[in-house]
Amino acid sequence: MPKTEEAKIIGRQLLRSSSSVGANYRAACRARSQAEFHAKLSIVVEEADESVFWMEILVEAEVVKPNELDYLSDEANQILKIAAASRKTVSAKKY
């Protein structure tokens, strides 16, 4: 990341949302009920989506080149899809 103020601000937001994905997934794995699991997984989906958003902003604001985030964006989108599909499966079981 460049040392610009813009990069620092967006980078901090990306760091917060992406670390929240891991923390909330861990909390979901320790859930005491299916309802709690669903709630935590919903946060994972929201934070993963926000992480993708901040990566898109970095590219659109021309802070980084698109190819510099291709791999991370792809990984984030895969995590988002997996978490969303898992949440859908839990919802179908009518916790």
Side-chain angles (χ1 to χ4, degrees), residues 51-70:
S51 297
V52 170
F53 169 78
W54 289 118
M55 285 186 252
E56 290 170 355
I57 294 297
L58 284 169
V59 171
E60 289 173 15
E62 298 179 352
V63 174
V64 297
K65 294 177 182 154
N67 63 329
E68 292 176 326
L69 285 179
D70 282 348

Side-chain angles (χ1 to χ4, degrees), residues 40-90:
K40 293 295 181 183
L41 212 49
S42 293
I43 296 170
V44 170
V45 170
E46 290 173 25
E47 296 295 337
D49 187 49
E50 184 177 336
S51 297
V52 170
F53 169 78
W54 289 118
M55 285 186 252
E56 290 170 355
I57 294 297
L58 284 169
V59 171
E60 289 173 15
E62 298 179 352
V63 174
V64 297
K65 294 177 182 154
N67 63 329
E68 292 176 326
L69 285 179
D70 282 348
Y71 178 77
L72 288 177
S73 292
D74 183 53
E75 288 291 313
N77 276 303
Q78 287 182 43
I79 290 168
L80 176 57
K81 288 177 185 176
I82 291 166
S86 297
R87 181 177 65 174
K88 190 174 183 179
T89 299
V90 172

Side-chain angles (χ1 to χ4, degrees), residues 2-49:
K3 301 291 183 199
T4 64
E5 190 63 28
E6 186 177 46
K8 287 179 187 177
I9 292 168
I10 298 169
R12 250 182 264 130
Q13 290 298 118
L14 176 57
L15 179 63
R16 285 186 187 118
S17 60
S18 59
S19 59
S20 180
V21 171
N24 281 290
Y25 179 75
R26 183 175 177 158
C29 290
R30 289 171 168 68
R32 293 166 291 196
S33 67
Q34 280 206 340
E36 185 178 359
F37 179 77
H38 183 272
K40 293 295 181 183
L41 212 49
S42 293
I43 296 170
V44 170
V45 170
E46 290 173 25
E47 296 295 337
D49 187 49

